[in-house]
Amino acid sequence: MRSTRAQPKVSAKLALGSAFFQGEHLVKEKKSRSVAKATSPTTGQMGPELKEALDKFVSDNKLVLFMKGTKDFPQCGFSNTCVQILNQFGAPYETVNVLEDEAIRQGMKEYSSWPTFPQMYIDGEFYGGCDIMIETYQSGELQEEIEKTMAS
Amino acid sequence: MAYSKDDIEKILRERLEATNVTVEDTSGGCGSSFDVVLLVSSAFEGKKPLEKHRLVNNALAEEMKTIHALSIKKLLTPEQYSSQCA
């Protein structure tokens, strides 16, 4: 019963969208409550409400990086690399700190079918992890993709 | 259990029918972090970068439960590999 009750909290938090992620104070205020088990860590099953909230979040924001830490304080070298790459373009992007929320951290692995972080979303679609960001940054494909997305 | 770079190479060789595999342990030997430096497999033919990476991730799905970081450098088809070496 506990898990079903906890689900709406997490999705409601995500549904706050950019307003939530722009306000670090909101993250901190909600932190104690937000680590509710929206997914069951044992089965890895993701609740439909969390899935919907993620669908909405990645389609409302053209560029989203799910990462460890924040833009200003990445807490993992791979996440830092992606932030540095994204900063080159000057396009606005959102970041989600997966270390702040275990439900999102576990849920995103399933949502993207991708085992690690960071995870980059462009225009609602999973684009890749750090290696793909580096590869496509160097080849110029990433810039093309971002310019195309920002112009649309 | 902790994996060695040889374990990971063997798994990739088997599951992706890779003809050429080089893996490095970047965790200093504790088996939690690996670089796939080079992997040559015909399974990569006609695949986009994301799809190629997914093939590798899927091949290591079970092992990824204990591996903390996996960095994938070069994924080539046998054709791409031979033209690089020529």
Side-chain angles (χ1 to χ4, degrees):
Chain A
M1 286 315 286
R2 201 197 246 160
S3 66
T4 50
R5 236 178 48 212
Q7 272 182 16
K9 276 187 198 164
V10 173
S11 54
K13 189 189 81 168
L14 242 187
L16 291 171
S18 52
F20 169 73
F21 291 110
Q22 278 160 10
E24 279 300 307
H25 63 287
L26 277 175
V27 180
K28 286 189 187 103
E29 270 170 26
K30 296 216 166 198
K31 195 176 167 188
S32 55
R33 294 194 289 135
S34 70
V35 193
K37 292 179 177 57
T39 54
S40 154
T42 46
T43 61
Q45 287 299 307
M46 177 185 230
E49 289 173 27
L50 180 58
K51 187 182 175 303
E52 268 170 42
L54 289 169
D55 283 343
K56 187 168 179 340
F57 190 75
V58 297
S59 56
D60 285 352
N61 299 283
K62 289 183 172 182
L63 305 175
V64 183
L65 182 69
F66 291 85
M67 63 177 284
K68 292 183 178 175
T70 62
K71 265 183 217 185
D72 296 324
F73 189 54
Q75 287 179 261
C76 143
F78 301 104
S79 290
N80 181 46
T81 300
C82 288
V83 167
Q84 298 309 321
I85 290 175
L86 287 170
N87 285 345
Q88 302 299 308
F89 300 112
Y93 63 95
E94 293 292 338
T95 60
V96 176
N97 183 1
V98 300
L99 297 178
E100 292 274 3
D101 198 316
E102 190 60 21
I104 292 176
R105 183 174 179 177
Q106 294 310 321
M108 281 312 293
K109 293 183 189 177
E110 187 190 335
Y111 186 79
S112 308
S113 312
W114 196 258
T116 52
F117 291 99
Q119 297 180 1
M120 182 71 205
Y121 274 76
I122 299 181
D123 214 9
E125 265 185 57
F126 179 56
Y127 188 74
C130 184
D131 297 315
I132 289 176
M133 290 288 281
I134 294 172
E135 199 177 318
T136 57
Y137 173 61
Q138 287 170 344
S139 71
E141 287 164 84
L142 179 62
Q143 180 164 8
E144 223 170 86
E145 188 72 29
I146 288 178
E147 281 170 3
K148 198 178 79 191
T149 303
M150 297 317 287
S152 67
Chain B
M1 66 168 274
Y3 298 95
S4 71
K5 81 174 198 62
D6 294 338
D7 296 331
I8 302 297
E9 284 183 359
K10 184 166 175 281
I11 289 164
L12 291 171
R13 226 177 265 282
E14 285 172 6
R15 298 188 193 157
L16 290 174
E17 297 181 357
T19 50
N20 205 314
V21 189
T22 312
V23 173
E24 277 174 15
D25 186 326
T26 50
S27 65
C30 77
S32 66
S33 163
F34 293 96
D35 270 14
V36 176
V37 181
L38 173 72
L39 181 52
V40 182
S41 165
S42 53
F44 298 144
E45 260 157 53
K47 297 275 198 300
K48 291 179 191 162
L50 179 60
E51 297 170 318
K52 290 195 280 184
H53 282 246
R54 280 206 195 282
L55 282 174
V56 178
N57 285 338
N58 292 342
L60 292 172
E62 185 57 36
E63 292 71 24
M64 282 306 288
K65 289 174 188 165
T66 58
I67 298 173
H68 173 73
L70 181 74
S71 182
I72 302 171
K73 306 295 183 197
K74 273 194 173 165
L75 304 179
L76 302 174
T77 64
E79 216 167 286
Q80 289 169 329
Y81 182 63
S82 56
S83 69
Q84 275 208 352
C85 290

